[in-house]
Structure formats: C-alpha cells, structure tokens
Amino acid sequence: MTEDDDQAAVAALLASTPPPDVPADFVARVNARIDATEGWLGVADFRLWTLRLAPAAVVLALITVLWPGTSTGTTTTSVSTAAADTFRPAAQDDWQQEVSSDALLVAALTGAGHAR
Amino acid sequence: MDPDRALVEAAAGGSRDAFDELVRRHQSAVITLARVLTSGKGDAEDLAQDVFVRAWRSIGSFRGDSTFRTWLHRVAINVIRTSQSRQGRLLRMFTARGRDEGTVPDPASGEEPVDAALARRQVIDRALAALPEELRVAVTLRDLQGLEYKEIAVLLDVPIGTVESRIFRARQKLKPLLQEIDDRR
C-alpha cells in the first residue's frame, strides 16, 4: 500500500464516521438559551439603548439650536470671561526668571507666592 | 453560491424560524466539532448550544465574505477554545495537576459499545484524541466536516501549505490507531 493509499483510506474512514445522535429538542434548547440571554443582554446592550434614545437626543439638539436667546456665541463669551476672571497668569518676567530647584522646593514647602 | 444565504439573510433580519432551520442543518457538524475538539472531555451538546447562541447574536455582522458554514465553524472554534481555556484555568486552580489532562481515553475503560456504528465512532474519537490539537483540528475540518483546504486555511488563519501538511501528518498518525476498525471489517 502506498502512502497515498494510506492517506485515502484514513480519509475515507473518517468520512464514514457515524453522525452524532442529536437530541430531538436540540433546537428548542438553543431557542430557550437565546431567549434567556436576550432577556439579560437586552438591558445591558448599549447599542439598543443608543438607538432608543436617538429620537430624544435629536429633540434635545433641536431645542438647543432653535430656542430663542440661545446661541453658541453667548455661551462661548460667558465661558471665556469666567475663565479670564479666575485664571491670571503670572507676569512675563516671572516665566523668564532663573529659579533653582532648591528655591522651588522651599517655595512649595512654605507656600510662598514667588520662588525666586 | 452559499446554500444557506437566503436563510442567513432572513435570520439576520430577525427571523427565528430561519435561524432554527440553520441550526437543524448544522447541528450535527457543530456537535461533532465540539466532541472532537474537547476530546470527549466536555459536554459537546452544551458547547454546541453556546455556539449557536453566539452565532445568533453575531449573525448581523456576517458579511458573506465566506459561506455561512465556514463562518459558523470559526464561531464554533472560538467558543470551544475559549471554554477549554476557561476550564483549563479552573482545573489548574483546583487541582495540583489535571489528572485527565493530556491523556488518551483508555480503550478498555470505555462503555461496552451498543452497536458497530457506535463502536466505530468511539475508536475514531479515541484516535483523534491522541493527536496534537493542531493536527486534530485540521483533519477534523477536512475529513469529518468536509471543508475545503482553502476554507480551512482561512478559518485557521494559516497558509494552505500548512493545512495540507497538518492533514497529511494527522492521517499518518491516525493510520495505525484506526487499524482496529480495519481489522473488524
């Protein structure tokens, strides 16, 4: 018997393997499992929630854009004004001063306003 | 042309009847694959059900680049391997050494075969269980499931030459192990 014959014989034997005994209720059990997982996963599935919330998101977006007296320009101005009030950068000179690491450490520990 | 195409499209659209028909068409193949890949150590039917549940959840992402059968086999291999690695971790956690791990079922310890067909299947199962996994998977997909070499290469993500080599070596190793069946004929 040649190698090819051996290969063909094994292949034929394997191909003749009797099929497994499939329980009659296999499909029903698959369906029951699908139903069970969909019950839980449906709640947790963010894609479903995203789709369901899409109309509400569109309505909110329209209200934001069309509501009288609301505009992105106003918002930007007020935000930038607020930011300007709270954030006051140090003078240009301060950024250019040579500061030693020791001085910085002392300033940090003592809470001094300027480390020079 | 994929013979399952119409059913797949209907199932992707939400038809459970169409999906039921797909399950009926492929249940034997998936159970066989589960049985062989787990070497009879897992509950093949249970794993096959997991495979179909995963297939149902993912069928919307099936683009038809391959046949449904090939795609389903990929899903099955992923599900079965994931389950095996999870079980392997649990086994290592609770036992110093998995007593059954890596051992071939003892022919003498098996149940008495009910009929010749069952006896033949048991011999084939034992022979396949004795193979390294990469050879077992390749020869199962080819000779038991009837997939083409090209399909197997895509499924396992290896070159077609590798698939041919694995199947060749698997059959070489199986030849003496299946002698028992030849002797009975």
Side-chain angles (χ1 to χ4, degrees), chain A:
Chain A
M1 223 178 177
T2 65
E3 184 67 55
D4 283 351
D5 291 338
D6 283 348
Q7 291 275 316
V10 171
L13 257 181
L14 292 176
S16 71
T17 308
D21 304 319
V22 181
D25 63 344
F26 185 83
V27 177
R29 280 157 60 195
V30 169
N31 275 316
R33 229 185 244 210
I34 288 173
D35 290 339
T37 52
E38 284 193 338
W40 287 100
L41 290 173
V43 176
D45 190 348
F46 71 92
R47 287 169 297 188
L48 285 177
W49 282 106
T50 310
L51 286 174
R52 285 172 188 159
L53 290 174
V58 169
V59 170
L60 282 173
L62 285 173
I63 289 172
T64 309
V65 171
L66 300 176
W67 194 261
T70 328
S71 76
T72 49
T74 312
T75 312
T76 309
T77 310
S78 61
V79 169
S80 55
T81 308
D85 290 343
T86 53
F87 178 65
R88 294 181 184 281
Q92 187 72 14
D93 297 350
D94 290 345
W95 292 104
Q96 293 170 354
Q97 294 282 345
E98 291 269 338
V99 181
S100 70
S101 55
D102 288 344
L104 272 175
L105 184 61
V106 169
L109 293 173
T110 59
H114 295 281
R116 291 193 176 166

Side-chain angles (χ1 to χ4, degrees), chain A residues 7 16 19 31 33 35 38, chain B residues 16 20 46 50 56 120 168:
Chain A
Q7 291 275 316
S16 71
N31 275 316
R33 229 185 244 210
D35 290 339
E38 284 193 338
Chain B
R16 288 285 280 270
D20 286 353
D46 204 50
D50 281 347
W56 167 255
R120 197 164 80 235
F168 184 85

Side-chain angles (χ1 to χ4, degrees), chain B:
Chain B
M1 179 68 184
D2 186 349
D4 296 322
R5 188 172 175 172
L7 287 171
V8 170
E9 283 172 5
S15 167
R16 288 285 280 270
D17 288 340
F19 189 72
D20 286 353
E21 181 55 29
L22 287 170
V23 174
R24 273 188 283 273
R25 284 187 185 186
H26 297 281
Q27 57 191 10
S28 287
V30 174
I31 292 174
T32 298
L33 188 64
R35 204 183 62 223
V36 173
L37 290 193
T38 57
S39 303
K41 283 180 236 157
D43 185 343
E45 277 173 33
D46 204 50
L47 273 174
Q49 285 173 29
D50 281 347
V51 170
F52 284 113
V53 171
R54 179 78 65 86
W56 167 255
R57 280 165 50 194
S58 313
I59 202 163
S61 65
F62 174 58
R63 298 276 170 252
D65 300 331
S66 63
T67 61
F68 175 73
R69 184 176 70 153
T70 305
W71 178 81
L72 183 63
H73 274 80
R74 187 194 291 274
V75 172
I77 287 173
N78 287 339
V79 168
I80 295 164
R81 281 185 174 160
T82 303
S83 164
Q84 279 183 301
S85 61
R86 197 184 306 133
Q87 283 182 350
R89 277 199 302 274
L90 283 173
L91 199 67
R92 282 192 295 276
M93 275 169 65
F94 292 109
T95 59
R97 186 163 175 268
R99 275 171 291 176
D100 296 334
E101 216 170 13
T103 58
V104 180
D106 177 10
S109 69
E111 288 174 20
E112 194 60 29
V114 176
D115 56 27
L118 180 58
R120 197 164 80 235
R121 200 167 72 201
Q122 286 179 344
V123 172
I124 291 171
D125 282 351
R126 280 198 300 269
L128 286 167
L131 294 179
E133 202 216 45
E134 62 177 23
L135 302 189
R136 187 167 72 236
V137 173
V139 80
T140 299
L141 292 174
R142 175 72 195 122
D143 290 339
L144 270 80
Q145 309 289 66
L147 267 65
E148 300 296 333
Y149 285 91
K150 207 171 116 185
E151 286 180 295
I152 300 169
V154 171
L155 241 172
L156 301 180
D157 200 20
V158 294
I160 199 163
T162 305
V163 174
E164 288 169 345
S165 159
R166 285 180 186 177
I167 291 170
F168 184 85
R169 282 186 289 141
R171 287 176 183 159
Q172 271 185 327
K173 285 177 184 282
L174 285 171
K175 176 68 181 162
L177 299 172
L178 295 174
Q179 195 64 44
E180 193 180 329
I181 296 177
D182 270 345
D183 293 344
R184 284 183 192 173
R185 282 178 170 179

